Amino acid sequence: MATRSHDPVDPQQPDSAARASEVAPLEDTHASAPATVSTEDSRDRRSRDVELPDSAGGKLGSAWVGLVLGALVTILLLIFIAQNTESTDVNFLGWQFSLPLGVLILFAAIAGALIMALFAGFRILQLRMRARKMRKISAHRH
C-alpha cells in the first residue's frame, strides 16, 4: 500500500520509511462503455455558458412607462381644465381671488401630492436611518 506524504509515520515499524517510498500500481480507470451525460446536465451547462438578455425592463423601461402614463394623465387634466372654465371665487387665508374651476382643482391636487411626498420623504429618511443603525449593529457583532 502506498503511503501519502500527509499520512502519519509509525516510528515503531522499522520499514515504514521503505513503505513510504513504495508506489502502488495504478488500477485500470478506463470505462468500458462510453460515458453518458444526462440531458438536464447538458442543458444546465449550456444555460450557464450562454448569457441571455435580461427580459425585465430595468430602470430605463420603468422610466419610459412612467413618462407615458404621466403624459396620459396630463392630457386628461388638460381636457378637464378646458371643460371647467367657469370662474370661481376663492377665499384662502384672507386672500380673495377668482380662478377657473379646473385650475383650482388642479392646484388642490398638486398641493395634496406635495403633502403626500413630504410625508413619504420623512418615512424614507426614517427607514434609511433604521437600516444604517442595523448595519452598524451587525458590523459590531462580526
Side-chain angles (χ1 to χ4, degrees):
M1 179 174 120
T3 307
R4 288 175 244 137
S5 62
H6 62 276
D7 286 343
V9 177
D10 188 9
Q12 299 295 330
Q13 295 183 347
D15 59 327
S16 64
R19 263 192 258 151
S21 63
E22 287 179 10
V23 177
L26 292 176
E27 295 178 18
D28 185 19
T29 58
H30 297 292
S32 59
T36 58
V37 177
S38 71
T39 56
E40 292 176 8
D41 291 342
S42 62
R43 265 189 257 131
D44 289 343
R45 193 177 1 229
R46 272 186 260 139
S47 67
R48 281 181 277 165
D49 294 342
V50 177
E51 289 187 29
L52 299 174
D54 187 13
S55 62
K59 292 181 182 180
L60 189 58
S62 299
W64 184 81
V65 170
L67 286 173
V68 170
L69 289 176
L72 291 174
V73 169
T74 303
I75 291 170
L76 291 174
L77 283 172
L78 287 173
I79 293 170
F80 177 79
I81 291 170
Q83 289 178 346
N84 293 288
T85 57
E86 185 178 326
S87 188
T88 305
D89 292 331
V90 179
N91 295 316
F92 183 70
L93 297 176
W95 297 333
Q96 295 181 347
F97 50 92
S98 175
L99 282 175
L101 181 61
V103 174
L104 183 64
I105 293 174
L106 177 65
F107 284 157
I110 291 172
L114 290 175
I115 291 170
M116 179 189 64
L118 183 69
F119 282 108
F122 282 131
R123 180 66 178 154
I124 289 170
L125 287 175
Q126 183 183 33
L127 291 173
R128 283 185 182 176
M129 288 189 309
R130 186 179 295 168
R132 187 179 302 133
K133 182 187 272 187
M134 294 305 290
R135 279 194 303 266
K136 285 181 181 179
I137 290 171
S138 67
H140 288 295
R141 287 183 184 168
H142 295 288

